[in-house]
Amino acid sequence: MNQSLKLFEKAQKLIPGGVNSPVRAFRSVGGSPFFTKKASGSRLTTADDKELIDYVCTWGPAIHGHDHPKIREAIAEALAKGTSFGTPGPAEVEMAELIVEVVPSVEKVRMCNSGTEATMSAIRLARGFTGRDKIIKFAGCYHGHVDSLLVKAGSGAITLGNPDSAGVPSSVAEQTIVLPYNDLTAVSEAFSKHGQEIAAIIVEPYPANCGLILPHEGYLQGLRDLCNQHQSILIFDEVMTGFRLSIGGVQQSIGITPDLTAMGKIIGGGLPVGALGGKAKIMDFLAPLGPVYQAGTLSGNPLAMAAGITSLKMLRDESPYEKLETIGKTLATGFKDIAKTKGIPLQVPQTGSMYCLYFSEKPITNFDQAIASKHDSFKSVFHKMLEKGIYLPPSSYETCFISTAHTEKDAEKTLEAFESSI
Ligand SMILES: *Cc1c(COP(=O)(O)O)cnc(C)c1O
């Protein structure tokens, strides 16, 4: 029996499902997960010494590839000064200054430890600020495992066949209005009905947890306008897109200013970090200035700040976005051409370093279309690619990521593997 299988058997006795986050269990594609013993650049090395080109990139954070020497050095330097202070530290001020500098809508920022904490606090803050209870979210958007947001939540949740989690009180779920993405009329109707009760709209500006969906022209501006008209808060969940598509996230790329922004993933450089930022007059509603409570024993942790600051500074100073877009285009075009030659219907939405494979005749513009695409085709391609040393995310509802460590040669190998897999 191989090492991964041995570890998984033991893990299943000790950890629910053998994993500490559900999608890692391969339930959506079948089979059992490999275990990784180390990672470097664009590659993972499994417990059985197989090398894989990695398009999961630790689900987003590893935009510089794995084990980047600069990030490793920054952590080592911070480590020599202590792992946690429990008082304010200089790195937190540096991080805040950096985020305020690069993310257009952010005037003040509060650090936390995960994307989930960021969206949870954003919702509480929006409710506290507006004195309203209801929120609008969109089907297929995932905002972490927050009670009120685990409704039609995409990703891991749909992979397991239950878009709505057990254990969420119906009184909480009732406060969440779920609408289809890319449909402004639906949002407008919800406001007509509940306008005075809606605290906020929360949206992944480019939904990336049910594959990858891009907005129709004018859609996000439409959300901004409706929030303005009804004095509701617009929350961009840029946990996935922030710092990935441009240093300032989707809000910078398309020039729309949300009131609050949830951040995570890349912001921690591979360590656990999240952040909530936005307009000062809203952010000042947070404790200790305001009545909305939010806290964290390890928030602003010096090791995590060191890794995150280094990750963000490299992006700001080296701006690798064009290079990432080039490899993204090579892959997307390659996948589409190969599928076309073989007469297999395939959609490959791609923007910058994000792409996904939908086995579908038509472009995907919302969650219902995403779940109607052919998952069996994805499953079979996933396993064949893995066999050939290419690790795609183990679910067709996930986005593939490219890092600055991925080369044209990696892309070439990936396309060769794809050609012989479909
Ligand atoms: C991953 C993700 C989250 C949750 O972040 P965690 O760090 O896993 O809690 C929230 N929103 C989006 C858009 C995400 O992709």
Side-chain angles (χ1 to χ4, degrees), residues 39-326:
S40 176
S42 63
R43 312 294 167 111
L44 299 178
T45 307
T46 72
D48 297 287
D49 288 315
K50 187 172 166 134
E51 213 180 70
L52 302 170
I53 299 180
D54 177 23
Y55 289 103
V56 180
C57 288
T58 184
W59 307 90
I63 194 166
H64 303 290
H66 296 285
D67 195 29
H68 193 286
K70 280 195 183 159
I71 296 179
R72 189 175 354 112
E73 278 160 27
I75 296 171
E77 208 174 288
L79 181 61
K81 297 180 200 153
T83 55
S84 177
F85 307 141
T87 72
E92 293 165 73
V93 186
E94 188 180 357
M95 178 61 116
E97 197 173 27
L98 190 54
I99 296 169
V100 168
E101 175 198 323
V102 301
V103 185
S105 69
V106 174
E107 295 168 359
K108 283 195 176 177
V109 61
R110 170 68 58 84
M111 303 311 294
C112 54
N113 307 287
S114 69
T116 294
E117 280 185 53
T119 57
M120 177 183 74
S121 303
I123 295 292
R124 187 181 305 136
L125 178 55
R127 286 174 165 157
F129 183 79
T130 57
R132 301 172 180 180
D133 286 341
K134 287 197 190 303
I135 50 173
I136 291 177
K137 85 174 279 290
F138 300 98
C141 284
Y142 176 66
H143 304 292
H145 57 104
V146 180
D147 275 359
S148 58
L149 299 174
L150 270 182
V151 188
K152 291 240 166 62
S155 180
I158 15 170
T159 292
L160 301 178
N162 45 338
D164 309 313
S165 171
V168 175
S170 52
S171 58
V172 171
E174 274 163 20
Q175 301 300 329
T176 305
I177 302 168
V178 184
L179 301 174
Y181 184 80
N182 263 333
D183 180 352
L184 271 182
T185 312
V187 184
S188 182
E189 282 169 8
F191 271 112
S192 311
K193 219 162 144 193
H194 305 284
Q196 290 307 306
E197 300 164 79
I198 297 171
I201 295 181
I202 183 164
V203 64
E204 287 182 78
Y206 295 176
N209 282 288
C210 53
L212 176 62
I213 296 175
L214 297 173
H216 291 328
E217 179 88 38
Y219 176 69
L220 294 168
Q221 183 62 52
L223 297 183
R224 176 68 279 177
D225 295 343
L226 283 163
C227 281
N228 288 351
Q229 274 167 37
H230 297 275
Q231 287 88 48
S232 294
I233 303 287
L234 180 63
I235 304 168
F236 271 12
D237 178 352
E238 296 227 45
V239 171
M240 190 85 102
T241 52
F243 316 104
R244 176 161 286 281
L245 297 172
S246 72
I247 184 73
V250 172
Q251 56 193 275
Q252 182 183 45
S253 311
I254 61 173
I256 290 173
T257 309
D259 300 298
L260 292 175
T261 302
M263 290 162 273
K265 297 193 169 129
I266 289 174
I267 205 175
L271 292 191
V273 180
L276 166 64
K279 294 197 175 126
K281 70 168 190 211
I282 305 176
M283 292 298 292
D284 284 348
F285 257 63
L286 287 176
L289 285 184
V292 176
Y293 197 71
Q294 194 280 339
T297 301
L298 289 172
S299 293
N301 173 269
L303 297 193
M305 293 303 99
I309 289 166
T310 308
S311 172
L312 298 192
K313 277 192 177 161
M314 275 197 279
L315 293 173
R316 182 193 63 184
D317 299 341
E318 295 164 21
S319 193
Y321 300 104
E322 260 177 52
K323 183 194 156 197
L324 290 167
E325 169 72 23
T326 305

